């Protein structure tokens, strides 16, 4: 055998033995590592099993006595009976409004009409005027001449007789609103009728009426659409001036050219956003039976800053002294655009301050579909509340001033008024003391535009019930509570297509009765049959240096328990007028400590220690008569 081969074999064997030894060492090391990992896993599993099977230690229970929060004691609110009875037919009212609707859905058909309580013949009783529209020119027939406004004269006991023809008011027009006032101070109340087209002024000649529109220069533009209107003395010269709202620029052709739809197939009434705005009118009384249009000079023609077009689409009107400077200001509610607050500067001009005062829009800065409005000191303090009826699904607004600083906040929600008015579409509304308890309540007349609205909105109806909100005082958690039908009676809560609304004491029993006008349907006269047995007192003012009706005068009444404020102002609600005499409820108090009259233009008069349940007629020369 060769020696070199032996040496090689020996080397191979040695290498093989070394490799086997290394492999055994690696296997042993791996086995030890695996055993360690397995041991750790077993320990972890056992630890987890032990942990999850442990019961939590029993915590020590510490008992703390329960302390209830302090709750303010409140008297339970009991809504009084405020029942109304429908006496429309019983009282002799047989009027039905004609709006000309034949299915073409022309916008003016949906917006009228107004009504008024006023004393047309100076016998001390409140008569009724219904504004009527008419059939469209293409639809007129032999009966159209019977579709005029209607004057119903009160016999003193709440019974009415149609005396339209014999008193000279059987004139056809497409009427909208009414304003009542003695513009020539002859002792008889005159009538202004706003219309689609030419407006009309009727002079009252001892109970009979003669149209003097052209001679007085108050017809307006023949193509205008005038709505709410009212008399007031803006310069305190003793002569009533006239303010007239205008809605939108409307023509039949423009309306029909748009395919307004509600259900996707049937035509609906148009949206005001499609139509242009319009300027209002301000007429200054010249004292000779004529009026001068001072609209532009007075600063009430507001333009859209972006387009320079008329900004207003005006429906509601109210006069009050919002800055307490002795001069009447003007509030105008506008449909889908900002509201206007015109402050009287005292030099024949007005400044529009709606945005600054916080009354132009809602709390989110949006314009609403505003219709009728009223203003009053409903809290019997210095604060003025402005209530505005808005479109369906928009709450009624209640702007309240703060200490006469011309800053208003919408308190509709906090007073309880907002949520209850959200579904209704409110046109006419006014403050009045329904139950004569000394606090002003709020009435709203409601009704939709569309007869078929329920097909697309299950919560909406064409005919809607009126609403009465009882003022239970600022110390209550909710100031205004809606009076249920169990308290008002079913005659009150019956559905109606409400538009205008007014109040007056038609039967001389002290409380205030309600009149509601409609569009295309019959009105409703509701006699107030509340039985709270509260006392009351009324005042009729007669001016001499001031205008004869004393429109704009304020009356402050004091009793042992409270002070109340009222303003002589028939222009309230929507397209309508309320009675001139001012009613105060006294509750159970049977003594009036004092009454102070602040006459328009200056001068005051005070009476002390008055007996309740009477009407006092107060002339500016301080002569007092009782009825």
């Amino acid at each position: 055998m060769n020696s070199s081969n032996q040496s090689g074999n020996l080397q191979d064997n040695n290498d093989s033995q070394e490799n086997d030894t290394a492999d055994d060492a690696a296997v042993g090391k791996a086995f030890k590592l695996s055993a360690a990992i397995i041991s750790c896993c077993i320990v972890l599993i056992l630890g987890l099993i032990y942990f999850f099977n442990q019961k939590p230690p029993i915590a020590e229970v510490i008992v703390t006595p329960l302390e209830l929060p302090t709750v303010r004691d409140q008297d339970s609110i009991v809504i009084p009976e405020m029942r109304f009875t429908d006496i429309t037919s019983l009282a002799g009212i047989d009027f039905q409004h004609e709006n000309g609707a034949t299915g073409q859905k022309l916008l003016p058909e949906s917006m009228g009409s107004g009504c008024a309580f006023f004393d047309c013949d100076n016998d001390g009783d409140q008569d009724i005027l219904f504004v009527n529209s008419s059939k469209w020119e293409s639809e007129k027939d032999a009966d159209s001449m019977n579709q005029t406004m209607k004057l119903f004269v009160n016999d003193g006991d709440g019974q009415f007789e149609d005396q339209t023809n014999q008193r000279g008011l059987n004139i056809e027009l497409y009427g909208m609103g009414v304003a009542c006032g003695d513009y020539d101070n002859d002792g008889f109340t005159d009538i202004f009728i706003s219309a689609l087209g030419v407006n009309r002024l009727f002079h009252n000649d001892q109970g009979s009426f003669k149209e003097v529109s052209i001679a007085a220069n108050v017809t307006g533009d023949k193509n205008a659409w005038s709505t709410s209107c009212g008399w007031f003395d803006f310069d305190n010269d003793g002569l009533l001036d006239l303010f007239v709202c205008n809605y939108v620029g409307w023509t039949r052709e423009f309306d029909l050219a748009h395919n307004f739809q509600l259900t996707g197939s049937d035509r609906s009434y148009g949206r005001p956003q499609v139509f242009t705005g319009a300027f209002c009118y301000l007429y200054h009384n010249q004292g000779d039976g004529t009026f001068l249009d001072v609209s532009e000079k007075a600063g009430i023609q507001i333009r859209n800053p972006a387009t320079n077009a008329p900004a207003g689409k005006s429906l509601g009107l109210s006069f009050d002294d919002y800055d307490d400077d002795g001069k009447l200001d003007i509030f105008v509610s506008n449909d889908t655009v900002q509201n206007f607050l015109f402050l009287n500067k005292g030099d024949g001009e007005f400044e529009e301050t709606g945005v600054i005062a916080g009354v132009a829009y809602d709390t989110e800065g949006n314009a609403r579909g505003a219709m009728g409005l009223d203003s009053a000191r409903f809290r019997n303090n210095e604060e003025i509340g402005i209530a505005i009826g808005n479109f369906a699904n928009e709450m009624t607004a209640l702007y309240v001033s703060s200490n006469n600083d011309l800053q208003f906040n919408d308190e509709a929600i906090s007073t309880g008024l907002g949520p209850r008015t959200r579904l209704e579409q409110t046109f006419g509304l006014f403050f009045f003391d329904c139950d004569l308890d000394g606090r002003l309540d709020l009435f709203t007349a409601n009704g939709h535009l569309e007869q078929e609205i329920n097909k697309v909105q299950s919560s909406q109806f064409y005919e809607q019930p009126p609403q009465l909100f009882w003022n239970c005082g600022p110390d209550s958690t909710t100031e205004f509570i809606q009076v249920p039908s169990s308290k008002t009676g079913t005659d009150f809560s019956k559905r109606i297509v409400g538009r205008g609304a007014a109040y007056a004491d038609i039967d001389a029993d002290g409380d205030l009765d309600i009149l509601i006008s409609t569009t295309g349907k019959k009105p409703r006269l509701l006699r107030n049959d509340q039985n709270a047995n509260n006392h009351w007192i009324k005042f009729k003012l007669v001016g001499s240096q001031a205008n004869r009706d004393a429109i704009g005068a304020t009356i402050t009444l004091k009793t042992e328990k409270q002070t109340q404020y009222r303003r002589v102002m028939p222009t309230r609600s929507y397209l309508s007028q309320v009675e001139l005499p001012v009613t105060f409820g006294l509750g159970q108090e049977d003594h009036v400590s004092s009454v102070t009259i602040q006459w328009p233009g200056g001068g005051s008069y005070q009476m002390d220690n008055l007996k309740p349940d009477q009407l006092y007629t107060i002339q500016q020369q301080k002569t007092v008569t009782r009825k």
Side-chain angles (χ1 to χ4, degrees), residues 127-177:
D127 309 305
I128 293 175
L129 180 73
F130 290 108
V131 180
N132 204 359
S133 300
S134 67
K135 292 184 178 180
W136 297 108
E137 198 65 36
S138 60
E139 304 293 335
K140 289 182 179 179
D141 52 29
D143 295 330
S144 295
M145 288 304 296
N146 295 324
Q147 295 161 351
T148 68
M149 71 185 89
K150 291 293 182 181
L151 174 64
F152 292 91
V153 177
N154 192 341
D155 68 356
D157 295 321
Q159 291 293 308
F160 295 86
E161 180 185 359
D162 183 352
Q163 296 186 8
T164 309
N165 295 341
Q166 52 266 52
R167 293 187 183 267
L169 292 175
N170 55 334
I171 296 177
E172 181 192 8
L173 73 165
Y174 204 100
M176 297 297 295

Side-chain angles (χ1 to χ4, degrees), residues 556-582:
T556 302
L557 179 143
K558 293 184 179 181
T559 63
E560 181 181 351
K561 295 183 179 180
Q562 64 178 338
T563 300
Q564 299 183 52
Y565 305 89
R566 300 285 188 276
R567 185 176 298 280
V568 179
M569 184 54 63
T571 302
R572 303 180 186 274
S573 186
Y574 171 74
L575 307 176
S576 301
Q577 301 274 287
V578 304
E579 68 172 0
L580 271 175
V582 175

Side-chain angles (χ1 to χ4, degrees), residues 65-334:
L66 181 62
E67 295 183 3
L68 296 176
T70 302
V71 178
R72 183 178 63 179
D73 292 334
Q74 291 182 342
D75 296 332
S76 59
I77 297 176
V78 178
I79 303 175
E81 292 277 346
M82 287 182 270
R83 196 165 298 275
F84 289 83
T85 304
D86 185 347
I87 61 168
T88 312
S89 297
L90 182 65
I93 305 297
D94 60 357
F95 173 72
Q96 177 157 336
H97 180 254
E98 172 62 66
N99 62 3
T102 59
Q104 290 185 309
K105 295 293 184 74
L106 300 174
L107 185 57
E109 299 167 356
S110 66
M111 302 302 291
S113 65
C115 58
F117 280 116
F118 78 116
D119 187 357
C120 77
D121 50 7
N122 275 2
D123 63 354
D125 305 316
Q126 296 302 310
D127 309 305
I128 293 175
L129 180 73
F130 290 108
V131 180
N132 204 359
S133 300
S134 67
K135 292 184 178 180
W136 297 108
E137 198 65 36
S138 60
E139 304 293 335
K140 289 182 179 179
D141 52 29
D143 295 330
S144 295
M145 288 304 296
N146 295 324
Q147 295 161 351
T148 68
M149 71 185 89
K150 291 293 182 181
L151 174 64
F152 292 91
V153 177
N154 192 341
D155 68 356
D157 295 321
Q159 291 293 308
F160 295 86
E161 180 185 359
D162 183 352
Q163 296 186 8
T164 309
N165 295 341
Q166 52 266 52
R167 293 187 183 267
L169 292 175
N170 55 334
I171 296 177
E172 181 192 8
L173 73 165
Y174 204 100
M176 297 297 295
V178 54
C180 302
D182 184 3
Y183 72 84
D184 58 352
N185 291 329
D186 66 352
F188 287 86
T189 303
D190 310 299
I191 301 171
F192 178 85
I193 303 293
S194 64
L196 176 66
V198 174
N199 298 322
R200 310 294 182 95
L201 176 62
F202 297 90
H203 178 255
N204 188 341
D205 184 8
Q206 301 186 46
S208 296
F209 293 88
K210 178 182 178 181
E211 187 190 347
V212 295
S213 314
I214 296 176
N217 191 37
V218 292
T219 57
D221 191 310
K222 65 179 181 179
N223 296 315
W225 179 357
S226 298
T227 54
S228 289
C229 45
W231 299 97
F232 76 128
D233 185 1
F234 75 81
D235 55 356
N236 287 328
D237 64 353
L239 299 171
L240 289 176
D241 309 301
L242 179 65
F243 192 95
V244 183
C245 294
N246 284 313
Y247 186 32
V248 294
W250 182 89
T251 65
R252 180 190 182 101
E253 294 72 25
F254 184 85
D255 198 330
L256 291 174
H258 288 75
N259 187 26
F260 302 114
Q261 291 190 351
L262 180 69
T263 62
S265 58
D266 298 329
R267 179 173 166 81
S268 68
Y269 288 113
R271 295 174 289 107
Q273 293 93 330
V274 176
F275 300 90
T276 60
F279 290 135
C280 297
Y281 303 140
L282 176 59
Y283 296 105
H284 183 243
N285 191 335
Q286 301 299 288
D288 58 359
T290 66
F291 293 81
L292 179 65
D293 186 345
V294 296
S295 308
E296 183 176 4
K297 179 182 177 182
I300 60 114
Q301 293 186 344
I302 306 302
R303 296 180 180 273
N304 185 316
T307 64
N308 205 39
K313 298 180 180 181
S314 305
L315 290 176
L317 174 65
S318 179
F319 305 109
D320 212 328
D321 186 0
Y322 297 104
D323 54 0
D324 197 28
D325 65 353
K327 299 180 292 292
L328 286 177
D329 309 305
I330 308 168
F331 194 104
V332 175
S333 57
N334 288 303

